[in-house]
Amino acid sequence: MAPSAQTLPTSVSDEKYANVKWEELGFGFYRTDNMYVAKCKHGESFQEGSIVPYANFQISPCSAVLNYGQGLYEGLKAYRTEEGRIMLFRPDQNALRLKSGAHRLCMPYPSVDQFVSAVKQVVLANKKWIPPPGRGTLYIRPILFGSGPILGSLPVPEYTFTVFACPVGRFHQDNAGLNLKIEDKFRRAFPSGTGGVKSITNYSPVWITLAEAKAQGFSDVLFLDAATGKNVEELFASNVFIVKGNVVSTPEISGTILPGVTRKSIIELTRDFGYKVEERVVPVEDLLDAEEVFCTGTAAIVTTIASVTFKETK
Amino acid sequence: MAPSAQTLPTSVSDEKYANVKWEELGFGFYRTDNMYVAKCKHGESFQEGSIVPYANFQISPCSAVLNYGQGLYEGLKAYRTEEGRIMLFRPDQNALRLKSGAHRLCMPYPSVDQFVSAVKQVVLANKKWIPPPGRGTLYIRPILFGSGPILGSLPVPEYTFTVFACPVGRFHQDNAGLNLKIEDKFRRAFPSGTGGVKSITNYSPVWITLAEAKAQGFSDVLFLDAATGKNVEELFASNVFIVKGNVVSTPEISGTILPGVTRKSIIELTRDFGYKVEERVVPVEDLLDAEEVFCTGTAAIVTTIASVTFKETK
């Protein structure tokens, strides 16, 4: 399990903390000191970038990302252990997912080594922003996007890969478990679309229903498949699992759900624990009939679902 | 027809041209002098912005548009007439479409008056970039996007509305008409998605198939509906019409195709010319059986389709 968790080199001397009220830390944007930036021209490959002070980008008003949504993001976390070590959780998996998304959106991409190196550099350059053990994590956000100007036709002349980081607390504030709404109208993804990669185009289109659900008191929404509207897919930004007896089931990777890094790890872990794990089509009925439901994600970690509401039924 | 086409005030004295080889003008990014920028905080409304020198934006690496794809664009054109007047084509229609998209993507939006005023200011501030009559047009690109930083949860703290412009020649270079490929795998939009608004999220996800089609020698792709894969929807960035006898048919507005401003005008015009116009479901068979096929768009204007290829059949 987690063969690629990595320990970063640290020195005790610079082990100081930023001036943060760690006990009040939520999950949101928090400006830190440094970020990583690499650029790449059309037809070339990404070369090593550099750590620069965190600042706004200069970006063309006619850039591919601003006009045509050409962008991907990743999310991973750095943890501080009780022993003072700094750990990353499987950063190579995020690198591979970014590569897959870059193919889908016609972009060049950093190599796995470059991606992991950039993440490590950003963590070390913002070390004082990593919360104390148990108080939170440093959330790391790599993004890859078309930064060059384009009007009408390909190619995009320039791409940017950047990594920044924010200290975060808990993503979900519901201590007793999440109250989920099964979304019966809006779909998140469709076959041949971008649901299987971490494209920026998957997110803002479903804010409208997430905002409505939150206004109604729900913690999150659970999307159904676009083709039939009968099977569960995933939450806004996490995968879903159901448990019945000795069987743990989760929607299979078929192009419309995100192949979560935490999802993959939980599948490996539950198998190690002796459960039978099924990656399959999961009808809504199976979820409503389950003994236990939970969701997994880098931001969400592993979170229990307390209730599920489908149409008028809770 | 075109009740809202507008003439802008001009003065003969500043009627100079920029140093452009107009006869070589294609359709692509071309840097001009000035752009319009207005910003708006969460919970507030857009106030009047200002004309500033064209330059790169300063944007947060953690902005909503870069990380979650929250953005819309519009496209319209300013024309120079033989009499030296400058004309806009129905800019209020673009303003209304932007408003509709802003609702869908949870953004505030400029009023119709502000939108039209901004477009006029950009045209006048870049007047020397409007090509001579018959040599091209000034393509105007309004964009609206979430510019403030957001990690995880709404709201987005800041939005930006900006308008810039580029002189353009023809969008399609195929003088004898377009050679279309009917796309049998990738879909552009799905019910409940963003296909009915000009969201940036509709475009880069289908570059992969547009690029393949162009490499195969086609001019553009024609997408089928995601629900059944049997009915035609639209091209990459234009609407489609078919003609048979006295009947002109075009896919109906049902949430998955863009309500084109040129489309709307052509419907009005063809009715004025005595054709029967049907906005309806258009099966692929009807298109293959048509006597004439054409596409409409601000960039594409009205362009004849010379051939259509579906699977192996041309």
Side-chain angles (χ1 to χ4, degrees):
Chain A
M1 164 57 200
S4 57
Q6 300 193 25
T7 305
L8 299 181
T10 58
S11 71
V12 178
S13 62
D14 60 350
E15 194 71 276
K16 291 173 194 157
Y17 285 110
N19 184 20
V20 177
K21 292 185 177 171
W22 302 110
E23 62 282 7
E24 294 175 10
L25 198 59
F27 196 103
F29 174 70
Y30 209 115
R31 188 185 168 122
T32 54
D33 294 331
N34 298 292
M35 64 184 188
Y36 173 97
V37 181
K39 291 178 186 283
C40 168
K41 300 283 179 205
H42 169 69
E44 298 180 355
S45 299
F46 273 104
Q47 302 300 310
E48 182 59 21
S50 55
I51 292 287
V52 297
Y54 181 90
N56 284 345
F57 282 130
Q58 293 267 354
I59 188 169
S60 167
C62 201
S63 59
V65 65
L66 288 182
N67 292 265
Y68 304 111
Q70 191 189 32
L72 296 163
Y73 81 85
E74 277 297 331
L76 60 167
K77 286 174 172 172
Y79 302 78
R80 203 185 283 270
T81 69
E82 293 288 354
E83 298 76 34
R85 291 190 305 162
I86 299 166
M87 304 287 288
L88 285 170
F89 187 64
R90 310 185 86 174
D92 55 322
Q93 296 293 314
N94 298 87
L96 291 169
R97 190 167 62 184
L98 188 76
K99 174 181 171 182
S100 158
H103 279 298
R104 182 63 184 77
L105 292 188
C106 307
M107 289 195 278
Y109 50 86
S111 70
V112 171
D113 283 350
Q114 188 187 7
F115 180 97
V116 173
S117 164
V119 166
K120 288 181 179 177
Q121 289 177 59
V122 168
V123 171
L124 293 175
N126 293 294
K127 205 162 74 175
K128 65 180 182 180
W129 297 97
I130 309 172
R135 294 291 184 87
T137 55
L138 187 70
Y139 181 86
I140 304 150
R141 172 60 61 93
I143 56 178
L144 172 66
F145 57 94
S147 48
I150 170 173
L151 193 72
S153 302
L154 295 172
V156 175
E158 185 199 75
Y159 298 89
T160 297
F161 169 58
T162 191
V163 184
F164 59 93
C166 304
V168 296
R170 292 177 58 145
F171 184 68
H172 286 295
Q173 303 304 320
D174 311 82
N175 289 314
L178 306 186
N179 295 301
L180 278 197
K181 177 184 181 181
I182 297 185
E183 171 55 52
D184 196 35
K185 180 182 167 203
F186 289 96
R187 310 299 182 212
R188 176 187 169 276
F190 62 107
S192 89
T194 54
V197 299
K198 213 159 172 61
S199 169
I200 64 173
T201 59
N202 298 337
Y203 296 89
S204 63
V206 284
W207 271 345
I208 192 169
T209 180
L210 185 67
E212 182 184 289
K214 292 209 168 180
Q216 291 167 341
F218 294 103
S219 323
D220 205 333
V221 289
L222 177 59
F223 291 100
L224 302 180
D225 73 299
T228 72
K230 293 182 177 170
N231 308 308
V232 302
E233 295 219 308
E234 64 184 293
L235 282 70
F236 179 74
S238 53
N239 294 113
V240 66
F241 285 77
I242 67 173
V243 186
K244 189 164 188 185
N246 191 44
V247 180
V248 175
S249 304
T250 192
E252 63 192 340
I253 301 296
S254 61
T256 55
I257 71 163
L258 196 75
V261 177
T262 312
R263 174 187 179 279
K264 185 177 177 181
S265 303
I266 290 297
I267 288 172
E268 293 165 10
L269 258 184
T270 47
R271 282 202 177 119
D272 287 352
F273 280 142
Y275 287 88
K276 184 181 176 201
V277 179
E278 293 181 347
E279 295 181 70
R280 61 173 172 93
V281 172
V282 178
V284 175
E285 290 70 32
D286 286 13
L287 178 125
L288 299 177
D289 191 41
E291 291 157 6
E292 197 180 330
V293 182
F294 61 91
C295 68
T296 65
T298 294
I301 52 173
V302 179
T303 306
T304 302
I305 310 296
S307 78
V308 174
T309 301
F310 185 45
K311 295 173 180 173
E312 302 303 309
T313 311
K314 185 170 178 174
Chain B
M1 164 56 202
S4 57
Q6 301 192 25
T7 305
L8 299 181
T10 58
S11 71
V12 177
S13 62
D14 59 350
E15 195 71 279
K16 292 173 194 156
Y17 286 110
N19 184 20
V20 176
K21 292 185 177 170
W22 302 110
E23 63 282 8
E24 294 175 9
L25 198 59
F27 195 103
F29 174 70
Y30 210 114
R31 187 184 170 125
T32 53
D33 294 331
N34 298 293
M35 63 184 188
Y36 174 96
V37 181
K39 291 178 185 283
C40 168
K41 299 282 178 205
H42 169 69
E44 298 180 355
S45 300
F46 273 104
Q47 303 298 310
E48 182 58 22
S50 55
I51 292 287
V52 297
Y54 182 90
N56 283 344
F57 283 131
Q58 293 267 354
I59 189 169
S60 167
C62 201
S63 59
V65 65
L66 288 182
N67 291 264
Y68 303 112
Q70 191 189 32
L72 296 163
Y73 82 84
E74 278 297 331
L76 60 167
K77 286 174 172 172
Y79 303 77
R80 202 186 284 269
T81 70
E82 293 287 354
E83 298 76 35
R85 290 189 305 161
I86 298 165
M87 304 287 288
L88 284 170
F89 187 64
R90 311 185 86 173
D92 56 323
Q93 296 293 314
N94 299 86
L96 292 169
R97 190 166 63 184
L98 189 75
K99 174 181 171 182
S100 157
H103 279 297
R104 181 64 184 78
L105 291 188
C106 306
M107 289 194 279
Y109 50 86
S111 69
V112 172
D113 283 350
Q114 188 186 7
F115 180 97
V116 173
S117 165
V119 167
K120 287 182 180 177
Q121 289 177 59
V122 168
V123 171
L124 293 176
N126 293 294
K127 205 162 75 175
K128 67 181 181 181
W129 297 98
I130 309 172
R135 293 292 185 86
T137 56
L138 187 70
Y139 181 86
I140 304 150
R141 172 60 61 93
I143 56 177
L144 172 65
F145 58 94
S147 47
I150 170 174
L151 193 71
S153 302
L154 295 173
V156 175
E158 185 198 75
Y159 298 89
T160 297
F161 170 58
T162 192
V163 184
F164 59 93
C166 305
V168 296
R170 291 176 58 146
F171 184 68
H172 286 296
Q173 303 305 319
D174 311 81
N175 289 315
L178 306 186
N179 295 301
L180 278 197
K181 178 184 181 181
I182 297 185
E183 171 54 53
D184 196 35
K185 181 184 166 200
F186 289 96
R187 309 301 181 209
R188 175 187 169 276
F190 63 106
S192 90
T194 55
V197 298
K198 213 158 172 63
S199 169
I200 64 173
T201 59
N202 298 338
Y203 296 90
S204 62
V206 284
W207 271 345
I208 192 169
T209 178
L210 184 67
E212 183 185 288
K214 291 210 168 179
Q216 292 167 340
F218 294 103
S219 322
D220 205 333
V221 288
L222 177 59
F223 291 100
L224 303 179
D225 73 301
T228 72
K230 293 181 177 170
N231 308 308
V232 302
E233 296 219 308
E234 64 185 293
L235 282 70
F236 179 74
S238 54
N239 294 113
V240 66
F241 286 76
I242 67 173
V243 186
K244 189 165 187 184
N246 191 44
V247 181
V248 175
S249 304
T250 192
E252 64 192 339
I253 302 295
S254 61
T256 54
I257 71 161
L258 196 76
V261 176
T262 313
R263 173 188 179 279
K264 185 177 176 180
S265 303
I266 290 297
I267 288 173
E268 294 165 10
L269 259 185
T270 47
R271 281 203 178 119
D272 288 351
F273 280 140
Y275 286 89
K276 183 180 176 202
V277 180
E278 293 181 346
E279 294 181 71
R280 62 173 172 94
V281 172
V282 178
V284 175
E285 290 70 31
D286 286 14
L287 178 125
L288 299 177
D289 192 41
E291 291 157 5
E292 196 180 331
V293 182
F294 62 90
C295 68
T296 66
T298 295
I301 51 173
V302 179
T303 305
T304 302
I305 310 296
S307 77
V308 174
T309 301
F310 185 45
K311 295 174 181 173
E312 301 304 309
T313 311
K314 185 170 178 174

